[in-house]
Amino acid sequence: MARAATCAFVLALAAPAAQAQGLPDPLTDLPGDASRGRAIVLDQPRSLCVLCHAGPFPEIAFQGNIGPDLSGVGDRLTLPELRLRLVDSRRVNPDTIMPPFHSVEGLVRVGTQWKDTTILTAQEVEDVAAFLASLKGPSE
Amino acid sequence: MIRCVTVLAIGLGTPAAAAGDRQSGYEIMGPELRAMQDDEAANPGMLWVTEGAALWVAPEGAANRSCASCHGDAAQSMAGVAARYPAWNEAGQGPIDLTGRIGLCRTRHQGAAALARDSRALVALAAFVTRQSDGLPIAPDPDPRLAATREKGKALFETRMGQLNLACADCHDDAAGGQLAAATIPQGHPTGYPQYRLQWEGMGGLHRRFENCMSGVRAEPFGAGSPEYIALEAFLMSRAAGLPVEAPAVRP
């Protein structure tokens, strides 16, 4: 119960502030490239995205439904908001099932070969964020 | 963190694997795989069961005794045994899983060399012994000394681990029934181990499956036979209590 209360507290205080701001500053000097981002998203072993998310990706036969459909996500979230969710979705929702793609904070028992590495590099986050921001309108 | 998910779930809807809503992974397989499991002649796991039957009566070690020398007809002596493991090991004063118990019998009572946990012979013997519980409800050992082990297993089940920061419960409680690309996430009930997995092209035990999940979330595995996996197994078997044993199960 104590842990649940703590989580509720964090959720109540931290989440709205983080949601409102997102991460306005790019992580890299090189601007995000939407076409590179698309390739990363569709490369399931590399980015894992389509394991859990569906989206306007006709070439992917099996798309997951654990997370929200990415169709039109560029209408729903701004680039800073997308960047924040990619870097560490826990800063929006502490209970999210979405892994932190560019943070090692608080991780437990990480495998030797993955220790102190992130799922995506800073540049990959920028590219994927640029691609997701470009997903406007209804599903293609 | 998982506790938070549970608390939130009360307000938002019903968790996928609520009590009374439990489902073997068999139920979410396609008709071809179910038919493969159901048909003894087509079930590849039966090869291991048959090998295990031969090993059961084969004299081994310095004692020149077979399993049958002490335990007799497995259909009688082993019925229901796999359905209640892990059990308490008096000699070791701790919990032990079925594979560990067979291994101990071999070294202590047959005077034979230890078998590796993932060796074909030990997997075959475990598959044969488990076969004697086919269709029986999982009935965890009521020995109160196992309670602490189950609690430890439950805590592990709910602990987020690895680079992907996922706990067993995140997928197998909260997201069970969801699609992970082509795979439907099962509720994670260990109703049929050892099992034949197409992914393995062979037969393997529950701890081997744990190793797969641990590397899947990019966590450091605990190792087959570790106290952590035995604790997790003890918790999962209590979570699956009442579901029928499938021996041998076939899974994708």
Side-chain angles (χ1 to χ4, degrees):
Chain A
M1 281 313 287
R3 288 184 67 201
T6 308
C7 293
F9 179 73
V10 170
L11 196 64
L13 288 191
Q19 262 174 319
Q21 291 166 0
L23 290 176
D25 298 329
L27 307 180
T28 58
D29 294 334
L30 188 66
D33 179 304
S35 66
R36 275 202 312 264
R38 186 174 199 280
I40 293 165
V41 167
L42 268 55
D43 186 347
Q44 188 214 89
R46 176 178 177 190
S47 69
L48 313 172
C49 303
V50 293
L51 268 176
C52 292
H53 294 278
F57 320 128
E59 55 273 72
I60 304 292
F62 297 104
Q63 307 179 5
N65 66 2
I66 309 301
D69 191 311
L70 298 173
S71 303
V73 70
D75 288 329
R76 301 191 294 273
L77 296 170
T78 65
L79 183 61
E81 289 169 343
L82 287 164
R83 182 180 290 119
L84 175 66
R85 281 158 179 76
L86 287 167
V87 167
D88 192 347
S89 248
R90 294 173 296 181
R91 289 160 68 178
V92 178
N93 170 14
D95 296 324
T96 184
I97 194 170
M98 180 160 160
F101 279 76
H102 195 67
S103 168
V104 296
E105 193 185 327
L107 299 185
V108 172
R109 212 180 162 82
V110 176
T112 312
Q113 90 184 95
W114 311 104
K115 196 109 185 115
D116 298 323
T117 66
T118 56
I119 305 169
L120 296 179
T121 66
Q123 192 59 54
E124 286 170 331
V125 168
E126 289 303 314
D127 293 344
V128 170
F131 169 60
L132 296 178
S134 78
L135 295 178
K136 305 269 192 185
S139 182
E140 289 159 30
Chain B
M1 196 166 279
I2 295 309
R3 298 266 45 87
C4 306
V5 173
T6 308
V7 169
L8 285 175
I10 291 166
L12 298 175
T14 311
D21 190 21
R22 292 168 309 153
Q23 183 187 57
S24 162
Y26 175 89
E27 305 293 338
I28 57 172
M29 297 198 303
E32 297 86 359
L33 278 183
R34 278 192 254 169
M36 188 191 286
Q37 175 172 319
D38 294 342
D39 180 357
E40 278 185 30
N43 186 329
M46 286 306 292
L47 291 172
W48 278 261
V49 171
T50 306
E51 282 184 34
L55 291 169
W56 181 263
V57 295
E60 277 280 340
N64 198 35
R65 275 199 293 248
S66 70
C67 306
S69 305
C70 295
H71 296 288
D73 180 6
Q76 302 295 320
S77 63
M78 293 295 128
V81 169
R84 72 166 182 267
Y85 262 73
W88 187 260
N89 176 24
E90 293 289 350
Q93 284 299 296
I96 191 165
D97 68 331
L98 184 61
T99 297
R101 172 67 79 193
I102 296 170
L104 270 187
C105 243
R106 196 179 148 82
T107 51
R108 289 199 313 203
H109 302 307
Q110 293 177 296
L115 290 169
R117 281 188 70 95
D118 58 354
S119 64
R120 190 165 173 109
L122 194 43
V123 172
L125 274 167
F128 173 70
V129 171
T130 304
R131 172 73 174 168
Q132 313 311 315
S133 296
D134 186 36
L136 296 177
I138 291 173
D141 193 321
D143 191 324
R145 292 171 296 183
L146 291 164
T149 301
R150 291 194 185 107
E151 279 303 308
K152 182 181 162 190
K154 183 173 191 287
L156 277 167
F157 187 79
E158 295 172 348
T159 301
R160 291 192 168 207
M161 290 181 209
Q163 190 188 47
L164 304 197
N165 196 39
L166 291 170
C168 312
D170 284 324
C171 289
H172 298 290
D173 271 347
D174 300 332
Q179 285 299 125
L180 199 62
T184 305
I185 300 179
Q187 293 178 0
H189 298 298
T191 49
Y193 285 94
Q195 69 187 205
Y196 187 89
R197 289 189 78 84
L198 271 59
Q199 179 193 6
W200 294 337
E201 296 180 337
M203 195 88 167
L206 178 60
H207 295 196
R208 183 172 173 192
R209 186 71 195 85
F210 290 158
E211 294 283 272
N212 290 172
C213 257
M214 291 290 280
S215 18
V217 303
R218 302 181 181 176
E220 194 63 27
F222 289 103
S226 62
E228 288 83 1
Y229 285 170
I230 290 172
L232 194 52
E233 176 174 353
F235 167 65
L236 290 178
M237 289 296 272
S238 68
R239 181 173 167 268
L243 292 175
V245 172
E246 301 161 50
V250 174
R251 293 290 185 273

